[in-house]
Amino acid sequence: MVAISCDKIVPAQQQRVWDVISDVSTFEHWHALHEGWEEMPSGPIDVGSTMVEKIKVAALVDTITFEVKTCRTPSEVVFRGAGSTGSKIHMRLGLEPTGETTTVTIDLDVTSPLLVGPIGKALNGTFTKRLRQTLDGLATYVASVDGSTETPSRH
């Protein structure tokens, strides 16, 4: 099992960050694990919304069917998923306003038959690195859509 929590202060107000996080069509610009969609929600995400996403960690690609379990606009969204490799994922994105900035926290729990022994230990480090890249990508993307001169990039 992998259990990771990472956070970052994003220099934008909570609602602006929420607008990006809750629009899954933006994942390709900032989510470092995202490889593509097989099925996107039919509209804005809410409790019960489902989507099928391809994620990549190191050389492993998994197709995950996610469901939104909790959606508290503009402060929290929780995704639960089951993958094609037998993985189970619980991911929480929390947004805490701090004046003109927002602290974004990602809590990720992954269980998978692939996460055992030395491979599992190595993947734990890779997950942590990719989640930090995700938060950095989110901050860059939010700044770029707020009129900054930075170009949206995918890590």
Side-chain angles (χ1 to χ4, degrees):
M1 179 175 173
V2 170
I4 302 165
S5 183
C6 298
D7 61 34
K8 181 176 183 74
I9 296 173
V10 175
Q13 291 185 347
Q14 182 185 34
Q15 185 62 51
R16 183 66 209 116
V17 178
W18 176 262
D19 290 346
V20 170
I21 286 175
S22 63
D23 179 0
V24 299
S25 71
T26 69
F27 279 23
E28 68 184 79
H29 299 291
W30 58 271
H31 198 304
L33 296 169
H34 180 79
E35 282 295 304
W37 293 108
E38 289 201 358
E39 180 183 322
M40 291 180 60
S42 58
I45 63 168
D46 203 350
V47 173
S49 295
T50 60
M51 59 214 79
V52 181
E53 179 182 20
K54 285 190 176 196
I55 64 164
K56 183 176 182 182
V57 180
L60 300 172
V61 177
D62 199 358
T63 301
I64 312 289
T65 300
F66 282 106
E67 181 178 357
V68 176
K69 290 300 198 178
T70 303
C71 188
R72 293 187 182 103
T73 304
S75 59
E76 179 184 48
V77 62
V78 176
F79 298 94
R80 287 226 177 116
S84 59
T85 63
S87 60
K88 303 285 183 209
I89 296 176
H90 177 270
M91 184 173 72
R92 177 189 171 273
L93 293 152
L95 287 73
E96 183 67 37
T98 49
E100 293 297 309
T101 65
T102 303
T103 300
V104 180
T105 302
I106 300 177
D107 299 315
L108 178 70
D109 295 323
V110 181
T111 56
S112 171
L114 304 175
L115 295 175
V116 295
I119 293 173
K121 188 173 184 177
L123 286 175
N124 192 356
T126 302
F127 268 112
T128 300
K129 179 181 176 183
R130 301 295 276 173
L131 288 182
R132 292 191 191 289
Q133 290 172 337
T134 293
L135 290 169
D136 290 344
L138 175 64
T140 299
Y141 185 73
V142 168
S144 75
V145 294
D146 267 347
S148 166
T149 58
E150 290 184 66
T151 302
S153 63
R154 182 160 174 243
H155 297 277

